[in-house]
Amino acid sequence: MQLSEQERVRREKLSTLRELGIEPYPAKMYPVNFTTDKIKKEFKEKQPVIIAGRLMSRRIQGKASFAELQDATGRIQVYFNRDEICPEEDKTLYNEVYKKLLDIGDFIGIEGELFTTQVGEKTVMVKNFTLLSKALKPLPLPKVDADGNVHDEFNDPEMRYRQRYADLLVNPHVKEVFIKRTKLFNAMRNLFNEQGYFEVETPILQNIPGGAAARPFVTHHNALDIPLYMRIANELYLKRLIVGGFDGVYEFSKNFRNEGMDRTHNPEFTVMEIYVAYKDYNWMMEFTEKLLEHCAIAVNGTTETTFGEHKVDFKAPYKRISMTDAIKQYTGYDITGKTEEQLRSAALEMGVEVDETMGKGKLIDEIFGEKCEGNFIQPTFITDYPKEMSPLCKKHRDNPELTERFELMVCGKEIANAYSELNDPIDQRERFEEQLRLSEKGDDEATQFIDQDFLRALEYGMPPTSGLGIGMDRLLMFLTDNASIQEVLFFPQMKPERKAVALTEEEKTVLTLLKKASPVALEQLKTQAGLSNKKWDKALKGLRKHDLISIEKNDEGIFAALAD
């Protein structure tokens, strides 16, 4: 393991502390009785306090020092005075331990007394301190120069997502996003519980992946010697519970889909699904409006929020438009009664990319997604989807070619999906068989399985039911003005981290140039590097060996580029 100079120094301090008889990682409980937030709210002069946290800054001036301590609730100023801490002759605790052996990032416990400085800052006078945990890596704290310019900010997205622990430490605003995440979940949970609905848990490992059209992750159960699938949706299990006699059930479900990753998709994500007996999708639309209005106020204190350049208002009621009317409005094309081939031809004429594996439902979905979605900024219910798009949804009571389904669109993205649930077991079997036919045709998003046990459950009888699913990560993105799903997940999925490799000075020079501009003509890069032929060849060979750069030849010449 290669260590930086600072890391080596910190390990040396670790050894020195132990030589002094100080355990840098003590096991004994530390009796904290105040937080920084509580001190500020209940401040009393000369109040004795015991606090603990991370040392975040300090200004040493001889036998006195001001520092900042950070705990889970914020920061507070602390004052170290040598004679207060070391009233006897032995000044080691201040002169050696505090001044020389502590570092920014160390956890310390402080016994002290509250006072107000001459400039009016609430401060803790340190009477005694205890090292609770030695930090062996320096924190990536930003630096401010004499002109007020900030340098070395920890703002590279990839580094922030990989090292969320450091991100939370040095970028306090990030923590607020996750506090709002908890507020959102609590707001939903409290409302559901008040209505008498039961929170339940359903299997993550499933014999058959169902409830959605998506590629599953596959694993193997050794004891049973069978394949198992990570949940893509929990819908079919929640409906089984409605069959079993519950009138209302909900679950915050971790789902997994083995598909692409981008700014709005992570392979692991959270969905809330709720099913209520004796309701239909019209009732669920009104319920959804009230729910999201309630959640927006709980998270932000208002129904209004900003997302990018848009002002969005979650105050009910929301606009409603059928999918047929939406497509007609934005393309001039009426999908009513059209065959698969007619839809495919129309899509191609509109410039929508389609292929022969797509059935009617997928073709309509592609047309809507490409031509209509982006127009819906304020919360809007898209209703009455064609039957082919909704294999788990009840036929529309007025038009058997449609279903009683809605999706809620905000800023061109879907955040909620709801049905009058299909409870006719014969119709459901036919829908599953049609999905299987599409799968065999090559549609990799159509289900490849028929869940016979779910069909058996429906044959016992399921009451009229409405179900709703809300993408919790995406909803939080809108409520916190974050365009990337990675910003609202503590630990988003990332590509494997490259192992650190030791580079020569010449290799570092070339790599630094490529980080500024890539690709670059090889001759131009060599001129910029200013290396002799021998050192240049060696540097290039080393970087290619470590898979850090690639050399490509095309009609315009030979180019060097950073490796993917």
Side-chain angles (χ1 to χ4, degrees), residues 180-246:
K180 288 186 174 184
R181 184 182 180 101
T182 295
K183 287 181 178 179
L184 174 61
F185 279 69
N186 287 345
M188 275 196 187
R189 182 174 277 118
N190 291 341
L191 184 67
F192 296 156
N193 291 345
E194 288 170 6
Q195 299 289 325
Y197 306 138
F198 284 90
E199 183 170 11
V200 299
E201 294 179 302
T202 61
I204 291 176
L205 288 176
Q206 302 179 350
N207 290 331
I208 294 175
R215 297 190 197 97
F217 286 94
V218 186
T219 185
H220 186 81
H221 191 292
N222 290 335
L224 296 176
D225 193 25
I226 58 171
L228 290 176
Y229 303 87
M230 295 187 75
R231 171 170 65 197
I232 58 174
N234 57 347
E235 176 172 342
L236 303 188
Y237 283 92
L238 293 177
K239 289 181 185 177
R240 285 171 167 93
L241 297 180
I242 298 294
V243 171
F246 286 94

Coordinates of all heavy atoms in Angstrom, one line a residue, residues 180-246:
K180 N -34.0 15.2 3.7 CA -35.3 15.3 3.0 C -35.8 14.0 2.5 O -37.0 13.7 2.5 CB -35.2 16.3 1.9 CG -35.0 17.7 2.3 CD -35.0 18.7 1.1 CE -35.0 20.1 1.6 NZ -35.1 21.1 0.5
R181 N -34.9 13.1 2.2 CA -35.3 11.7 1.8 C -36.1 11.0 2.9 O -37.1 10.4 2.7 CB -34.1 10.9 1.4 CG -34.4 9.5 0.8 CD -33.2 8.7 0.4 NE -33.6 7.4 -0.1 CZ -33.7 7.1 -1.4 NH1 -33.3 7.9 -2.3 NH2 -34.1 5.9 -1.7
T182 N -35.5 11.1 4.1 CA -36.2 10.5 5.2 C -37.5 11.2 5.5 O -38.5 10.5 5.8 CB -35.3 10.6 6.5 OG1 -34.1 9.8 6.2 CG2 -36.0 10.0 7.7
K183 N -37.6 12.5 5.4 CA -38.9 13.2 5.6 C -39.9 12.7 4.6 O -41.1 12.6 4.9 CB -38.6 14.7 5.4 CG -37.9 15.4 6.6 CD -37.8 16.9 6.4 CE -37.1 17.6 7.5 NZ -37.0 19.0 7.3
L184 N -39.5 12.5 3.4 CA -40.4 12.0 2.3 C -41.0 10.7 2.7 O -42.2 10.5 2.6 CB -39.7 12.0 1.0 CG -40.5 11.4 -0.2 CD1 -41.7 12.2 -0.5 CD2 -39.6 11.3 -1.5
F185 N -40.1 9.7 3.0 CA -40.6 8.4 3.4 C -41.5 8.4 4.6 O -42.6 7.8 4.6 CB -39.4 7.5 3.6 CG -38.8 6.9 2.4 CD1 -38.1 7.7 1.5 CD2 -38.9 5.6 2.1 CE1 -37.5 7.3 0.4 CE2 -38.3 5.1 0.9 CZ -37.6 5.9 0.1
N186 N -41.1 9.2 5.6 CA -42.0 9.3 6.8 C -43.3 10.0 6.5 O -44.3 9.5 7.1 CB -41.2 10.2 7.9 CG -40.1 9.4 8.5 OD1 -40.0 8.2 8.4 ND2 -39.2 10.1 9.2
A187 N -43.3 11.0 5.6 CA -44.6 11.6 5.3 C -45.6 10.6 4.6 O -46.8 10.6 5.0 CB -44.3 12.8 4.4
M188 N -45.1 9.8 3.7 CA -45.9 8.8 3.1 C -46.4 7.8 4.1 O -47.6 7.4 4.2 CB -45.1 8.1 1.9 CG -45.2 8.9 0.6 SD -44.7 7.8 -0.7 CE -44.6 9.0 -2.0
R189 N -45.4 7.3 4.8 CA -45.7 6.2 5.8 C -46.8 6.7 6.8 O -47.7 5.9 7.1 CB -44.4 5.8 6.5 CG -44.6 4.6 7.5 CD -43.3 4.2 8.0 NE -42.6 3.3 7.1 CZ -41.4 3.5 6.5 NH1 -40.8 4.7 6.7 NH2 -40.9 2.6 5.7
N190 N -46.6 7.9 7.3 CA -47.6 8.4 8.3 C -49.0 8.5 7.7 O -50.0 8.2 8.3 CB -47.1 9.7 8.8 CG -45.9 9.6 9.7 OD1 -45.5 8.5 10.2 ND2 -45.2 10.7 9.8
L191 N -49.1 9.0 6.5 CA -50.4 9.2 5.8 C -51.0 7.8 5.6 O -52.2 7.7 5.9 CB -50.2 9.9 4.5 CG -51.5 10.2 3.8 CD1 -52.4 11.2 4.6 CD2 -51.3 10.8 2.4
F192 N -50.3 6.8 5.1 CA -50.8 5.5 4.9 C -51.3 4.9 6.2 O -52.4 4.3 6.3 CB -49.8 4.6 4.2 CG -49.4 5.0 2.9 CD1 -48.2 4.6 2.3 CD2 -50.2 5.8 2.1 CE1 -47.8 5.0 1.1 CE2 -49.8 6.2 0.8 CZ -48.6 5.8 0.3
N193 N -50.5 5.0 7.2 CA -50.8 4.4 8.5 C -52.1 5.1 9.1 O -53.0 4.4 9.7 CB -49.7 4.6 9.5 CG -48.5 3.7 9.1 OD1 -48.6 2.8 8.3 ND2 -47.4 4.0 9.7
E194 N -52.2 6.4 8.9 CA -53.5 7.1 9.4 C -54.7 6.6 8.7 O -55.8 6.5 9.2 CB -53.3 8.6 9.1 CG -52.3 9.3 10.1 CD -52.0 10.7 9.7 OE1 -52.7 11.2 8.7 OE2 -51.2 11.3 10.3
Q195 N -54.5 6.1 7.4 CA -55.7 5.6 6.6 C -56.0 4.1 7.0 O -56.9 3.5 6.5 CB -55.4 5.7 5.1 CG -55.1 7.1 4.6 CD -56.4 7.9 4.6 OE1 -57.5 7.4 4.3 NE2 -56.3 9.2 4.8
G196 N -55.1 3.5 7.8 CA -55.3 2.1 8.2 C -54.7 1.1 7.3 O -55.0 -0.1 7.4
Y197 N -53.8 1.5 6.4 CA -53.2 0.6 5.5 C -51.9 0.0 6.2 O -51.3 0.6 7.0 CB -52.8 1.3 4.2 CG -53.9 2.0 3.5 CD1 -53.7 3.2 2.9 CD2 -55.2 1.4 3.5 CE1 -54.8 3.9 2.3 CE2 -56.2 2.1 2.9 CZ -56.1 3.3 2.3 OH -57.1 4.0 1.7
F198 N -51.6 -1.3 5.8 CA -50.6 -2.0 6.5 C -49.3 -2.0 5.7 O -49.3 -2.3 4.5 CB -51.0 -3.5 6.8 CG -52.0 -3.6 7.9 CD1 -53.4 -3.6 7.6 CD2 -51.6 -3.8 9.2 CE1 -54.3 -3.7 8.6 CE2 -52.5 -4.0 10.2 CZ -53.9 -3.9 10.0
E199 N -48.2 -1.7 6.4 CA -46.9 -1.9 5.7 C -46.5 -3.3 5.8 O -46.5 -3.9 6.9 CB -45.8 -1.0 6.4 CG -44.5 -1.0 5.7 CD -43.5 0.1 6.2 OE1 -43.8 0.7 7.2 OE2 -42.5 0.2 5.5
V200 N -46.0 -3.9 4.7 CA -45.7 -5.3 4.6 C -44.3 -5.5 3.9 O -43.7 -4.5 3.4 CB -46.7 -6.1 3.8 CG1 -48.1 -6.0 4.5 CG2 -46.9 -5.6 2.4
E201 N -43.8 -6.7 4.0 CA -42.6 -7.0 3.3 C -42.8 -8.2 2.4 O -43.5 -9.2 2.8 CB -41.5 -7.4 4.3 CG -41.0 -6.2 5.1 CD -39.9 -6.5 6.1 OE1 -40.2 -7.4 6.9 OE2 -38.9 -5.9 6.0
T202 N -42.3 -8.2 1.2 CA -42.5 -9.3 0.2 C -41.1 -9.7 -0.2 O -40.1 -9.0 -0.1 CB -43.3 -8.9 -1.0 OG1 -42.7 -7.8 -1.7 CG2 -44.7 -8.4 -0.5
P203 N -41.0 -10.9 -0.9 CA -39.7 -11.5 -1.2 C -38.9 -10.6 -2.2 O -39.4 -10.1 -3.2 CB -40.0 -12.8 -1.8 CG -41.3 -13.2 -1.3 CD -42.1 -11.9 -1.1
I204 N -37.6 -10.6 -1.9 CA -36.6 -9.9 -2.9 C -36.1 -11.0 -3.8 O -36.0 -10.8 -5.0 CB -35.5 -9.3 -2.1 CG1 -36.0 -8.0 -1.4 CG2 -34.4 -8.8 -3.1 CD1 -35.0 -7.3 -0.5
L205 N -35.9 -12.2 -3.3 CA -35.5 -13.3 -4.2 C -36.7 -14.1 -4.6 O -37.5 -14.5 -3.8 CB -34.5 -14.3 -3.5 CG -33.1 -13.8 -3.2 CD1 -32.3 -14.8 -2.4 CD2 -32.4 -13.5 -4.5
Q206 N -37.0 -14.2 -5.9 CA -38.2 -14.7 -6.4 C -38.0 -15.8 -7.4 O -37.0 -15.8 -8.1 CB -39.1 -13.6 -7.1 CG -39.4 -12.4 -6.2 CD -40.2 -11.3 -6.9 OE1 -40.4 -11.3 -8.1 NE2 -40.6 -10.4 -6.1
N207 N -38.9 -16.8 -7.4 CA -38.8 -17.9 -8.4 C -39.0 -17.5 -9.8 O -38.5 -18.0 -10.7 CB -39.8 -19.0 -8.0 CG -39.4 -19.8 -6.7 OD1 -38.2 -19.8 -6.4 ND2 -40.4 -20.3 -6.0
I208 N -40.0 -16.5 -9.9 CA -40.3 -15.9 -11.2 C -40.4 -14.4 -11.1 O -41.0 -13.9 -10.2 CB -41.7 -16.4 -11.6 CG1 -41.7 -18.0 -11.9 CG2 -42.2 -15.7 -12.9 CD1 -43.1 -18.5 -12.2
P209 N -39.6 -13.7 -11.9 CA -39.7 -12.3 -11.9 C -40.9 -11.7 -12.5 O -41.2 -12.1 -13.7 CB -38.4 -11.8 -12.7 CG -38.2 -12.9 -13.6 CD -38.7 -14.2 -13.0
G210 N -41.7 -11.0 -11.8 CA -43.0 -10.5 -12.4 C -43.4 -9.2 -11.9 O -42.7 -8.6 -11.0
G211 N -44.5 -8.6 -12.5 CA -45.0 -7.3 -12.0 C -44.5 -6.2 -12.8 O -44.9 -5.0 -12.6
A212 N -43.6 -6.4 -13.8 CA -43.1 -5.3 -14.6 C -42.4 -6.0 -15.8 O -42.1 -7.2 -15.9 CB -42.1 -4.5 -13.9
A213 N -42.1 -5.1 -16.8 CA -41.4 -5.6 -18.0 C -39.9 -5.1 -17.9 O -39.7 -3.9 -18.1 CB -42.0 -5.1 -19.3
A214 N -39.0 -6.0 -17.5 CA -37.6 -5.5 -17.2 C -36.8 -6.8 -17.2 O -37.2 -7.9 -16.8 CB -37.5 -4.7 -16.0
R215 N -35.5 -6.6 -17.5 CA -34.5 -7.7 -17.3 C -34.1 -7.9 -15.9 O -33.7 -6.9 -15.2 CB -33.3 -7.4 -18.2 CG -33.5 -7.3 -19.7 CD -32.2 -7.3 -20.4 NE -32.3 -6.8 -21.7 CZ -32.1 -5.5 -22.1 NH1 -31.8 -4.6 -21.2 NH2 -32.3 -5.1 -23.4
P216 N -34.2 -9.1 -15.4 CA -33.9 -9.3 -14.0 C -32.4 -9.7 -13.8 O -31.7 -10.1 -14.7 CB -34.7 -10.5 -13.6 CG -34.8 -11.3 -14.9 CD -34.8 -10.3 -16.0
F217 N -31.9 -9.5 -12.6 CA -30.6 -10.1 -12.2 C -30.9 -11.6 -11.8 O -31.9 -11.9 -11.1 CB -30.0 -9.4 -10.9 CG -29.5 -8.0 -11.3 CD1 -30.2 -6.9 -11.2 CD2 -28.1 -7.9 -11.7 CE1 -29.7 -5.7 -11.5 CE2 -27.6 -6.7 -12.0 CZ -28.4 -5.5 -11.9
V218 N -30.0 -12.5 -12.2 CA -30.2 -13.9 -11.9 C -29.2 -14.4 -11.0 O -28.0 -14.1 -11.1 CB -30.2 -14.7 -13.2 CG1 -30.5 -16.2 -12.9 CG2 -31.1 -14.1 -14.3
T219 N -29.6 -15.2 -10.0 CA -28.6 -15.8 -9.1 C -29.0 -17.3 -8.9 O -29.9 -17.8 -9.6 CB -28.6 -15.1 -7.7 OG1 -27.5 -15.7 -6.9 CG2 -29.9 -15.3 -7.0
H220 N -28.3 -18.0 -8.1 CA -28.5 -19.5 -8.0 C -28.6 -19.8 -6.5 O -27.7 -19.4 -5.7 CB -27.4 -20.3 -8.6 CG -27.7 -21.8 -8.7 ND1 -28.5 -22.3 -9.6 CD2 -27.3 -22.8 -7.9 CE1 -28.6 -23.6 -9.4 NE2 -27.8 -23.9 -8.3
H221 N -29.6 -20.6 -6.1 CA -29.8 -21.1 -4.8 C -29.1 -22.5 -4.7 O -29.6 -23.5 -5.3 CB -31.2 -21.1 -4.4 CG -31.4 -21.4 -2.9 ND1 -31.2 -22.6 -2.3 CD2 -31.9 -20.5 -1.9 CE1 -31.5 -22.5 -1.0 NE2 -31.9 -21.2 -0.8
N222 N -28.0 -22.6 -4.0 CA -27.3 -23.9 -4.0 C -28.1 -25.0 -3.3 O -28.1 -26.2 -3.8 CB -26.0 -23.7 -3.3 CG -25.0 -22.8 -4.1 OD1 -25.1 -22.7 -5.3 ND2 -24.1 -22.2 -3.4
A223 N -28.7 -24.8 -2.2 CA -29.4 -25.8 -1.5 C -30.5 -26.4 -2.3 O -30.8 -27.6 -2.3 CB -29.9 -25.3 -0.1
L224 N -31.3 -25.5 -2.9 CA -32.4 -26.0 -3.7 C -32.0 -26.3 -5.2 O -32.8 -26.9 -5.9 CB -33.6 -25.0 -3.7 CG -34.2 -24.7 -2.4 CD1 -35.2 -23.5 -2.5 CD2 -34.9 -25.9 -1.8
D225 N -30.8 -25.9 -5.6 CA -30.3 -26.1 -6.9 C -31.3 -25.5 -8.0 O -31.7 -26.2 -8.9 CB -30.1 -27.6 -7.2 CG -29.2 -27.8 -8.5 OD1 -28.5 -26.8 -8.9 OD2 -29.3 -28.8 -9.1
I226 N -31.7 -24.3 -7.7 CA -32.6 -23.6 -8.7 C -32.2 -22.2 -8.9 O -31.5 -21.6 -8.1 CB -34.1 -23.6 -8.1 CG1 -34.1 -22.8 -6.8 CG2 -34.7 -25.0 -8.0 CD1 -35.5 -22.6 -6.3
P227 N -32.5 -21.6 -10.1 CA -32.2 -20.2 -10.3 C -33.2 -19.4 -9.5 O -34.4 -19.8 -9.3 CB -32.4 -20.0 -11.8 CG -33.4 -21.1 -12.2 CD -33.1 -22.3 -11.3
L228 N -32.8 -18.2 -9.0 CA -33.6 -17.2 -8.4 C -33.4 -15.9 -9.0 O -32.3 -15.6 -9.6 CB -33.4 -17.2 -6.9 CG -33.9 -18.4 -6.1 CD1 -33.5 -18.2 -4.6 CD2 -35.4 -18.6 -6.2
Y229 N -34.4 -15.0 -9.0 CA -34.3 -13.7 -9.6 C -34.5 -12.6 -8.6 O -35.4 -12.7 -7.7 CB -35.4 -13.6 -10.7 CG -35.3 -14.7 -11.7 CD1 -36.0 -16.0 -11.5 CD2 -34.6 -14.6 -12.9 CE1 -35.9 -17.0 -12.5 CE2 -34.5 -15.6 -13.8 CZ -35.2 -16.8 -13.6 OH -35.1 -17.8 -14.5
M230 N -33.7 -11.6 -8.7 CA -33.9 -10.5 -7.8 C -35.1 -9.7 -8.3 O -35.3 -9.5 -9.5 CB -32.6 -9.6 -7.8 CG -31.5 -10.3 -7.2 SD -30.0 -9.3 -6.9 CE -30.5 -8.3 -5.5
R231 N -35.9 -9.2 -7.3 CA -37.2 -8.6 -7.6 C -37.1 -7.4 -8.6 O -36.3 -6.5 -8.4 CB -37.7 -8.1 -6.2 CG -38.9 -7.2 -6.3 CD -39.5 -7.0 -4.9 NE -38.6 -6.3 -4.0 CZ -38.8 -6.2 -2.7 NH1 -39.7 -6.9 -2.1 NH2 -37.9 -5.5 -2.0
I232 N -37.9 -7.5 -9.6 CA -38.0 -6.3 -10.5 C -39.2 -5.5 -10.1 O -39.3 -4.3 -10.4 CB -38.1 -6.7 -12.0 CG1 -39.3 -7.6 -12.3 CG2 -36.8 -7.3 -12.5 CD1 -39.5 -7.9 -13.7
A233 N -40.2 -6.1 -9.4 CA -41.4 -5.4 -8.9 C -42.0 -6.3 -7.8 O -41.8 -7.5 -7.8 CB -42.3 -5.1 -10.0
N234 N -42.8 -5.7 -6.9 CA -43.4 -6.4 -5.8 C -44.9 -6.6 -6.0 O -45.6 -7.1 -5.2 CB -43.1 -5.8 -4.5 CG -43.5 -4.4 -4.4 OD1 -43.8 -3.7 -5.4 ND2 -43.6 -3.8 -3.2
E235 N -45.4 -6.1 -7.2 CA -46.8 -6.0 -7.4 C -47.6 -7.3 -7.2 O -48.6 -7.4 -6.6 CB -47.1 -5.5 -8.9 CG -48.5 -5.5 -9.3 CD -48.7 -4.8 -10.6 OE1 -47.8 -4.1 -11.1 OE2 -49.8 -5.0 -11.2
L236 N -47.1 -8.4 -7.8 CA -47.9 -9.7 -7.8 C -48.0 -10.2 -6.3 O -49.0 -10.9 -6.0 CB -47.3 -10.7 -8.7 CG -47.1 -10.3 -10.2 CD1 -46.7 -11.5 -11.0 CD2 -48.4 -9.7 -10.7
Y237 N -47.0 -10.0 -5.5 CA -47.0 -10.4 -4.1 C -48.0 -9.6 -3.3 O -48.8 -10.1 -2.5 CB -45.7 -10.4 -3.5 CG -44.8 -11.6 -3.9 CD1 -44.0 -11.5 -5.0 CD2 -44.9 -12.8 -3.2 CE1 -43.2 -12.6 -5.4 CE2 -44.1 -13.9 -3.6 CZ -43.3 -13.8 -4.7 OH -42.6 -14.9 -5.1
L238 N -48.0 -8.3 -3.5 CA -49.0 -7.4 -2.8 C -50.4 -7.8 -3.2 O -51.3 -7.7 -2.3 CB -48.7 -6.0 -3.1 CG -47.3 -5.4 -2.5 CD1 -47.1 -4.0 -3.0 CD2 -47.3 -5.6 -1.0
K239 N -50.7 -8.1 -4.4 CA -52.0 -8.5 -4.8 C -52.4 -9.8 -4.2 O -53.6 -10.0 -3.8 CB -52.1 -8.6 -6.3 CG -52.1 -7.3 -7.1 CD -52.2 -7.5 -8.6 CE -52.0 -6.3 -9.4 NZ -52.1 -6.5 -10.8
R240 N -51.5 -10.7 -4.0 CA -51.8 -12.0 -3.3 C -52.3 -11.6 -1.8 O -53.1 -12.4 -1.3 CB -50.5 -12.8 -3.1 CG -50.1 -13.5 -4.4 CD -48.7 -14.2 -4.2 NE -48.3 -15.1 -5.2 CZ -47.6 -14.9 -6.3 NH1 -47.2 -13.6 -6.5 NH2 -47.2 -15.8 -7.1
L241 N -51.7 -10.6 -1.2 CA -52.2 -10.2 0.1 C -53.6 -9.6 0.1 O -54.4 -9.8 1.0 CB -51.2 -9.2 0.7 CG -49.8 -9.8 0.9 CD1 -48.9 -8.7 1.5 CD2 -49.8 -11.0 1.8
I242 N -53.9 -8.9 -1.0 CA -55.3 -8.5 -1.1 C -56.3 -9.7 -1.3 O -57.3 -9.7 -0.6 CB -55.5 -7.5 -2.3 CG1 -54.6 -6.3 -2.2 CG2 -56.9 -7.2 -2.6 CD1 -55.1 -5.4 -1.0
V243 N -55.9 -10.7 -2.1 CA -56.6 -11.9 -2.1 C -56.8 -12.5 -0.8 O -57.8 -13.0 -0.4 CB -55.9 -12.9 -3.1 CG1 -56.6 -14.3 -3.0 CG2 -56.0 -12.4 -4.5
G244 N -55.7 -12.5 0.0 CA -55.7 -13.1 1.4 C -56.5 -12.3 2.4 O -56.6 -12.8 3.5
G245 N -57.1 -11.2 2.1 CA -58.0 -10.6 3.0 C -57.6 -9.2 3.5 O -58.4 -8.6 4.3
F246 N -56.4 -8.7 3.2 CA -56.1 -7.3 3.5 C -56.8 -6.3 2.6 O -56.8 -6.5 1.4 CB -54.6 -7.1 3.4 CG -53.8 -7.7 4.5 CD1 -53.2 -9.0 4.4 CD2 -53.6 -7.1 5.8 CE1 -52.5 -9.6 5.4 CE2 -52.8 -7.7 6.8 CZ -52.3 -9.0 6.6

